[in-house]
Amino acid sequence: MKNIISCLLIAFTINGFAQENKTKSTSNLENITLGGGCYWCIEAVYENLEGVKSVVSGFSGGKTANPTYEDVCTGTTGHAEVIQITYDKNITDINEIFKVFFTVHDPTTLNRQGADIGTQYRSVIFYKNEEQKKAAQHIINELNKAKVYDSPIVTKIEPLTKFYKAENYHQNYYENNTNQPYCKMVIQPKIEKFEKIFKSKLKKKP
């Protein structure tokens, strides 16, 4: 993989990627649903992004109603592990959300993130409107054109039909289990990478 930091900066500053679109609005909260492997990992990252109000871990994209974590782990329900992010459009925007997304997971591995293998770990963006769909398509096209990754991006772009919240013990998993081996070996490096690249976008510590 190329130098991800410099390549992302180039890719996201061409064709308007760096343009701000934070028009004041009476309805300034928006949400987007993303799947990038284990939801514990990307949940922990986005909880530290300035402008993000909440991150909920759950499941989308499957055929089974009200799936449990155990159901989804079988790989037979069709669901992906996802997070649903609610963010303030006056502070951050969909382009920044996507920049983080394509930095902290590998969008070129099909149905896999590291040792996590299965369709439930697929890279996917579930859009709720045409604006989100077009933004997702544009970013993927630009990243492929700039050859940021050694392989083509396999991230799917699909309409959001239903989001199911995961069990309570999956919420804020990293924060509640920082001493667990998975948190130290898998999640912590993703957080450190995020903090290095987006240090000016981190939430202020109380």
Side-chain angles (χ1 to χ4, degrees):
M1 184 183 294
K2 294 183 179 180
N3 185 314
I4 188 68
I5 299 176
S6 60
C7 287
L8 278 169
L9 287 175
I10 293 171
F12 286 116
T13 53
I14 60 178
N15 292 336
F17 269 81
Q19 293 178 5
E20 293 190 356
N21 182 21
K22 300 175 183 177
T23 304
K24 296 293 183 180
S25 170
T26 55
S27 178
N28 61 318
L29 295 182
E30 182 64 279
N31 59 63
I32 182 72
T33 305
L34 306 173
C38 174
Y39 46 30
W40 298 341
C41 296
I42 52 176
E43 177 199 60
V45 167
Y46 280 104
E47 285 180 338
N48 291 297
L49 179 64
E50 186 180 21
V52 169
K53 297 302 181 183
S54 70
V55 186
V56 180
S57 291
F59 314 107
S60 288
K63 58 183 183 295
T64 303
N66 301 307
T68 65
Y69 176 68
E70 288 73 19
D71 292 336
V72 174
C73 281
T74 66
T76 61
T77 70
H79 291 92
E81 288 194 13
V82 298
I83 56 168
Q84 191 162 88
I85 306 163
T86 299
Y87 61 96
D88 187 336
K89 294 187 292 184
N90 293 335
I91 301 175
T92 188
D93 59 27
I94 194 65
N95 289 333
E96 193 160 81
I97 295 292
F98 285 154
K99 278 198 282 186
V100 173
F101 180 63
F102 285 107
T103 301
V104 299
H105 90 294
D106 185 351
T108 70
T109 52
L110 184 64
N111 300 328
R112 177 175 187 167
Q113 286 295 306
D116 295 323
I117 302 173
T119 56
Q120 66 269 34
Y121 301 116
R122 65 188 182 272
S123 178
V124 59
I125 296 170
F126 290 103
Y127 64 88
K128 58 180 281 187
N129 54 45
E130 282 300 307
E131 179 184 3
Q132 291 183 352
K133 180 182 180 181
K134 289 178 180 177
Q137 291 173 330
H138 185 68
I139 286 175
I140 289 174
N141 290 341
E142 292 300 327
L143 290 174
N144 279 328
K145 186 188 303 181
K147 298 188 183 300
V148 171
Y149 306 97
D150 293 332
S151 301
I153 292 172
V154 297
T155 304
K156 298 294 185 183
I157 303 174
E158 302 176 8
L160 177 67
T161 55
K162 187 70 176 179
F163 170 79
Y164 296 99
K165 182 180 177 181
E167 295 86 344
N168 287 337
Y169 74 90
H170 291 291
Q171 311 303 326
N172 302 307
Y173 188 86
Y174 175 78
E175 183 179 342
N176 295 328
N177 300 275
T178 52
N179 292 323
Q180 293 291 334
Y182 186 90
C183 292
K184 289 184 175 182
M185 293 186 293
V186 180
I187 303 178
Q188 184 60 36
K190 289 180 181 287
I191 294 175
E192 291 173 354
K193 181 179 183 181
F194 161 74
E195 290 177 342
K196 180 179 181 180
I197 298 175
F198 297 94
K199 57 185 176 182
S200 65
K201 302 295 185 179
L202 301 180
K203 285 181 177 177
K204 304 298 186 292
K205 299 293 184 181

